[in-house]
Amino acid sequence: RVAQDHADNFSKDGRTVRQRTSMIGKLTGTLLEKNPPEVLVDCGGVGYEVQVPMSTFYNLPANGAKVALLTHFVVREDAQLLFGFATTRERQTFRELIKITGVGPRMALAVLSGLSIDDLADAVSQQEAGRLVKVPGIGKKTAERLLLELKGKIGADTGAQSLFANNNDQNDIQQALMALGYSDKEASAALKKLPPDVGVSEGIKLALKALTK
């Protein structure tokens, strides 16, 4: 199933302008191929090539299984690109990154593949460029610009992050399970079986084991 986009045409100064009014926001279908960072998802007989960060890639099911991805659709003059994410938090961070001058979708994907969102938020809070320069393609100047632009948008309050870390982890685990095709009821039931202080990655693994028993 595809949450389709559409566009309206209107005239501006004698020229026809195509205005996008919505986007492909989610794909639900069968996972056909996994070739990092790209996956192929079959939705009703149409195969969609989707680029995903490694944080999403590592949590994908086996080929042939049902999968659901939150998506961000990028339209350029020479291409139409689809990027997929397991959680709302991943997609929102991606969108914040591509708002920054000089940061395109591929660089944003590299950041999310090289750092967890929690690590990125902590780097922003501490303004530590050293963590970002470890990501391929990001130099010191770019790292410093990223940290400056993201300040106040993610990781703005480390105290609040620590206080609500468990709630955020639980939300991320639930969103990831729902993105993989489980219902809200199934995801909530799996969450109740997890240790209270479990992290996101470990929580997803334990929840999936519980759901597949």
Side-chain angles (χ1 to χ4, degrees), residues 26-46:
K26 183 180 180 181
L27 288 180
T28 301
T30 302
L31 183 62
L32 296 182
E33 296 179 10
K34 294 189 290 185
N35 298 300
E38 191 171 271
V39 300
L40 182 64
V41 181
D42 180 278
C43 299
V46 179

Side-chain angles (χ1 to χ4, degrees), residues 13-61:
D13 300 328
R15 294 178 291 111
T16 298
V17 179
R18 193 167 186 265
Q19 181 185 38
R20 188 161 301 282
T21 56
S22 63
M23 299 187 298
I24 297 176
K26 183 180 180 181
L27 288 180
T28 301
T30 302
L31 183 62
L32 296 182
E33 296 179 10
K34 294 189 290 185
N35 298 300
E38 191 171 271
V39 300
L40 182 64
V41 181
D42 180 278
C43 299
V46 179
Y48 289 85
E49 294 178 342
V50 188
Q51 296 183 53
V52 301
M54 297 311 295
S55 53
T56 290
F57 188 88
Y58 290 140
N59 291 306
L60 289 172

Side-chain angles (χ1 to χ4, degrees), residues 77-133:
E77 289 186 3
D78 60 340
Q80 295 185 21
L81 305 172
L82 201 56
F83 297 87
F85 309 91
T87 68
T88 301
R89 195 177 178 207
E90 281 182 334
R91 182 171 66 176
Q92 184 57 41
T93 302
F94 175 86
R95 287 174 172 173
E96 290 294 344
L97 285 166
I98 62 176
K99 290 178 184 177
I100 300 171
T101 302
V103 178
R106 295 187 190 284
M107 183 178 288
L109 213 64
V111 171
L112 292 176
S113 294
L115 291 171
S116 70
I117 296 179
D118 287 337
D119 285 341
L120 177 60
D122 190 52
V124 172
S125 295
Q126 304 299 323
Q127 291 291 287
E128 293 182 2
R131 297 196 197 184
L132 281 171
V133 296

Side-chain angles (χ1 to χ4, degrees), residues 139-201:
K140 185 178 179 181
K141 289 184 178 180
T142 300
E144 290 173 346
R145 188 173 74 252
L146 282 172
L147 293 177
L148 184 62
E149 292 283 348
L150 291 173
K151 190 174 183 179
K153 297 176 181 176
I154 64 171
D157 189 334
T158 54
Q161 279 189 321
S162 298
L163 183 62
F164 297 111
N166 286 344
N167 284 339
N168 286 337
D169 287 350
Q170 294 282 315
N171 289 336
D172 285 349
I173 294 169
Q174 185 167 2
Q175 288 293 330
L177 293 174
M178 291 173 66
L180 291 172
Y182 293 100
S183 68
D184 181 70
K185 184 177 180 180
E186 290 173 326
S188 296
L191 282 176
K192 292 178 181 178
K193 299 177 182 179
L194 301 179
D197 58 346
V198 70
V200 176
S201 296

